[in-house]
Amino acid sequence: MAWIHTARRLGLLGTLRTPSRGPVEPLEPRRLLSAQLIGPSGPSNLSGPRASVSDGTTAYYYSKPDGDTADIWRTDGTAAGTRRLGSVPDGGWVHPDHFTIIGGRLFFLAPEPGSYGSELYMADPAAGTVQQLSNFIPFNSYESARNLVALNGKAYLVGWSQATGYELYTSDGTAAGTRLAVELTPGPADGVDGVWRVGNELYVAGRNADGGLSVHRSDGPPAGTTFVKQITQSGPPWGYQFLDDFVAVAGKVVFNQYTGNDDVL
């Protein structure tokens, strides 16, 4: 069983006493850490860097009480403020991930029973509940939602359905408000590979029906989504290509292109 602790700083200041003649030199301030047990269940050893998150006031993480379940926890660093919010399935190689705080609520991806992929969930600390918001993945399927980011108080992610393939979806934290946001390639062919937040915009890696790659910029709705550049017209003769890791650098947006044979920046 894992345990979670909190640490606080203790400030110590002393003076140096010496029998020798001459000036007395004060000791410089020292800070020591003390630890306090605040909860009976700490983060799972399977928890990665995106499976815990903090806004500076509240932190969220998950633990594994057994092999098929993950418990979602929140803590404010005190024993009284550490509590379990609910449970989600935890199966095979798919675990809770992409923890993102939006409007004081936790959005994250986790599996659902009978599926090998991830769905969108929301944990509400005020209500003490965990709710599944999406139903992208059909029973016994390997399709999976991915790339969860926040913009303007909403969640955006790459979701999937048989009607749309992979496209850009959004959620306001309710099941009814979890819906298709932008469909770049109409029909069942995949249109979106990934989405990243860069500043106050979303950058979307698009894909046409022939496998060609493109870059789009969006503030969320279709009217605010614009085409930036066509990177390739079609897919490679073998292998797979995709765009990844959009970041801001010196006033520009830099990203990685995997060409099926090598990476280029």
Side-chain angles (χ1 to χ4, degrees):
M1 176 179 290
W3 300 80
I4 184 169
H5 294 75
T6 186
R8 59 190 179 93
R9 294 182 179 273
L10 299 177
L12 297 179
L13 179 63
T15 58
L16 178 66
R17 296 181 178 273
T18 174
S20 62
R21 296 179 181 179
V24 176
E25 194 174 320
L27 294 176
E28 64 184 31
R30 301 291 192 205
R31 291 197 178 272
L32 304 178
L33 291 176
S34 69
Q36 176 188 2
L37 179 66
I38 61 171
S41 185
S44 165
N45 61 353
L46 298 174
S47 177
R50 296 212 60 186
S52 61
V53 69
S54 172
D55 61 3
T57 301
T58 303
Y60 296 88
Y61 62 94
Y62 83 89
S63 67
K64 281 184 63 64
D66 58 54
D68 299 319
T69 303
D71 288 342
I72 307 300
W73 289 76
R74 58 92 65 190
T75 181
D76 62 3
T78 68
T82 301
R83 60 192 177 100
R84 174 183 167 276
L85 297 177
S87 299
V88 296
D90 184 77
W93 54 87
V94 182
H95 309 287
D97 200 358
H98 286 73
F99 279 32
T100 305
I101 298 174
I102 306 174
R105 298 176 295 178
L106 175 69
F107 290 73
F108 62 99
L109 302 179
E112 67 173 349
S115 172
Y116 299 101
S118 294
E119 296 284 0
L120 179 63
Y121 289 78
M122 186 271 294
D124 186 346
T129 58
V130 174
Q131 177 187 0
Q132 181 178 336
L133 300 179
S134 70
N135 190 25
F136 298 127
I137 317 304
F139 179 78
N140 208 28
S141 171
Y142 287 88
E143 308 293 344
S144 189
R146 57 180 183 263
N147 287 89
L148 173 62
V149 297
L151 183 71
N152 298 329
K154 292 185 178 181
Y156 290 89
L157 71 159
V158 180
W160 184 91
S161 77
Q162 290 180 329
T164 68
Y166 282 108
E167 296 287 354
L168 183 64
Y169 281 75
T170 185
S171 178
D172 62 2
T174 66
T178 301
R179 56 180 178 78
L180 180 67
V182 176
E183 187 175 12
L184 293 183
T185 301
D190 296 337
V192 172
D193 283 347
V195 58
W196 295 262
R197 177 172 175 170
V198 182
N200 291 320
E201 295 179 306
L202 302 176
Y203 276 79
V204 182
R207 178 179 296 273
N208 62 29
D210 295 323
L213 306 180
S214 57
V215 177
H216 303 256
R217 186 169 58 187
S218 179
D219 61 6
T225 303
T226 58
F227 171 81
V228 176
K229 185 176 178 61
Q230 190 74 36
I231 305 300
T232 62
Q233 297 298 325
S234 60
W238 59 271
Y240 191 71
Q241 63 175 354
F242 58 88
L243 308 179
D244 201 1
D245 296 330
F246 285 69
V247 295
V249 179
K252 300 179 180 179
V253 176
V254 178
F255 59 93
N256 184 47
Q257 178 189 353
Y258 179 75
T259 63
N261 185 39
D262 202 356
D263 288 321
V264 295
L265 191 63

